[in-house]
Amino acid sequence: MPFRKHYTGLLDRYRDRLPISEDTKIIDLGEGNTPLIKLKNIPGEMGVDAEIYVKYEGLNPTGSFKDRGMCMAVTKAVEEGSKAIICASTGNTSAAAAAYAARAGITAFVLIPDGKIALGKLAQAMMHGAVVIQIHGNFDDGMQLVKEVGEEAPVTIVNSINPFRLQGQKTAAFEIIEELGAAPDYHCLPVGNAGNISAHWMGYVEYAEDGIVPTRPTMVGYQAAGAAPFMRGEMVDEPETVATAIRIGHPQSWDKAWNVQKESGGWFDECTDEEILAAQKLLAEREGVFCEPASATSVAGALRDLKSGKIPAGSKIVCTLTGHGLKDPDTAIKQSTRELITVDATLEDVKGAILNNM
Ligand SMILES: *Cc1c(COP(=O)(O)O)cnc(C)c1O
């Protein structure tokens, strides 16, 4: 039996396409190489005719796609002699920064909106030993502060304005192309700061320009209705949504993302919190795939655009599921309609509970 080589993460796998030299000391946690799962039940049940795949980025080491960019950013920060990194975060960036800083033996400072991040993400930042600074403000306030502190203190900013982040994140497009043997027709993503949609486009363009595949997908970005600056055509000052990972009103990759929209012939749209939570539940109940609310925005939007015909029938679609459902157990339990059944610890009662619910 031929054994598979020990997988050492996406920086090693794609080193030829990343800013890495022979001497670069790679900091990895085996990130990337996430499953591309074909939806088997939802398309039929929803009456849409399409080949839909979800790229389950929740299976990265800290449970979100942020690991793809963070391994690259921390590797470069350490190479440049930095002893500390800093980021503003709606949660997942702080979890990734904390983990990779721990791995590298440097300090992570994370600014999070007080009381507005999912519990799992806070647990991660704390367990990995980051210095967690809660601010009485939202992500956009934190981001502004991080930019100002970065000018004055010896810390490397690892938000997606750090160009190495997007370099790492573009590898998701490479993986998708390699698995499908082609680019999909459409690629749908949730959009917050819009770094990820921009990074995916970089990856798709790179493989097309190098002649690895002939086509590039149409890129579609979905925002939460209460935090949809791309739909409003201007920044939003008080973003609000249950999908806390995309509760962002001042996207850092504004120009880049508009460019992606133009070059790919794609569009932006918005989903209500109800649509987002319904899609999250649908994926969990019908496909066995548990993602966090923000992630489900991609599927909510894609299904709606398929039904309306904006995405034509027969299309091959990839939806990125950006983070794991376990990140935000509170929201999951709150919206579940499943009843917990409590009975006495007797054979009779347990049997009764089973027979009543067959
Ligand atoms: C960061 C994040 C997003 C948004 O990605 P951007 O690059 O900011 O657009 C979406 N979903 C989850 C789970 C995230 O952590």
Side-chain angles (χ1 to χ4, degrees):
M1 198 217 321
F3 293 105
R4 226 174 53 175
K5 187 178 163 287
H6 176 212
Y7 180 74
T8 48
L10 58 88
L11 298 185
D12 193 22
R13 180 170 177 188
Y14 294 110
R15 58 165 61 235
D16 300 351
R17 296 187 172 276
L18 293 168
I20 289 173
S21 73
E22 282 293 301
D23 302 329
T24 306
K25 188 173 145 270
I26 287 178
I27 295 163
D28 88 285
L29 286 167
E31 58 291 309
N33 200 22
T34 54
L36 186 66
I37 303 168
K38 187 172 178 182
L39 298 188
K40 287 213 162 85
N41 303 317
I42 291 176
E45 286 176 24
M46 302 300 285
V48 297
D49 166 26
E51 211 175 297
I52 308 175
Y53 296 84
V54 292
K55 179 74 167 158
Y56 196 15
E57 291 286 274
L59 290 199
N60 275 296
T62 78
S64 87
F65 76 83
K66 298 297 198 301
D67 294 342
R68 290 184 186 272
M70 199 56 73
C71 62
M72 183 79 252
V74 172
T75 290
K76 295 307 276 188
V78 168
E79 185 172 62
E80 288 158 9
S82 181
K83 296 274 182 287
I85 57 174
I86 188 167
C87 64
S89 178
T90 58
N92 282 331
T93 302
S94 66
Y100 285 89
R103 183 83 160 157
I106 62 174
T107 305
F109 295 96
V110 305
L111 267 70
I112 55 171
D114 186 14
K116 287 287 186 180
I117 82 167
L119 212 56
K121 305 174 188 181
L122 183 60
Q124 289 178 291
M126 292 173 75
M127 277 304 280
H128 291 305
V131 179
V132 180
I133 305 168
Q134 298 199 70
I135 58 164
H136 300 302
N138 60 28
F139 169 85
D140 302 307
D141 301 320
M143 191 64 237
Q144 185 55 38
L145 286 163
V146 162
K147 283 180 181 169
E148 287 167 24
V149 169
E151 303 263 305
E152 304 198 359
V155 290
T156 304
I157 299 174
V158 293
N159 279 105
S160 54
I161 54 171
N162 176 323
F164 297 123
R165 280 273 309 275
L166 299 199
Q167 284 293 320
Q169 285 170 215
K170 76 181 178 185
T171 58
F174 298 163
E175 291 177 12
I176 290 164
I177 286 175
E178 287 160 27
E179 289 218 23
L180 295 178
D185 301 318
Y186 292 84
H187 190 131
C188 304
L189 295 106
V191 169
N193 271 308
N196 209 26
I197 194 168
S198 306
H200 276 78
W201 184 240
M202 277 168 49
Y204 283 125
V205 168
E206 195 172 316
Y207 265 23
E209 281 182 351
D210 288 356
I212 294 169
V213 283
T215 64
R216 312 179 302 194
T218 300
M219 304 295 291
V220 187
Y222 298 105
Q223 299 213 278
F230 284 99
M231 296 307 293
R232 307 292 165 259
E234 59 181 17
M235 301 300 170
V236 169
D237 282 336
E238 302 283 339
E240 206 46 80
T241 169
V242 69
T244 50
I246 50 173
R247 186 171 167 268
I248 292 167
H250 290 241
Q252 298 298 310
S253 294
W254 180 256
D255 294 337
K256 279 197 184 75
W258 279 117
N259 202 43
V260 171
Q261 182 261 319
K262 269 185 230 114
E263 284 186 14
S264 78
W267 61 88
F268 295 107
D269 209 335
E270 62 193 294
C271 299
T272 64
D273 281 2
E274 291 69 32
E275 288 176 300
I276 292 169
L277 292 177
Q280 182 197 19
K281 203 154 143 204
L282 193 66
L283 283 162
E285 288 191 345
R286 293 285 175 264
E287 302 285 355
V289 177
F290 191 20
C291 66
E292 67 172 287
S295 311
T297 311
S298 59
V299 171
L303 289 174
R304 195 177 59 204
D305 282 341
L306 269 165
K307 278 187 214 154
S308 77
K310 196 164 182 188
I311 297 178
S315 297
K316 190 180 283 189
I317 304 165
V318 172
C319 295
T320 298
L321 298 184
T322 43
H324 202 289
L326 289 173
K327 292 273 192 176
D328 191 354
D330 298 319
T331 306
I333 290 172
K334 239 182 266 163
Q335 78 139 333
S336 176
T337 49
R338 289 274 149 202
E339 245 179 84
L340 293 180
I341 301 165
T342 309
V343 298
D344 283 337
T346 65
L347 177 59
E348 200 179 338
D349 280 15
V350 172
K351 217 166 82 184
I354 290 168
L355 294 176
N356 283 337
N357 287 283
M358 289 290 270

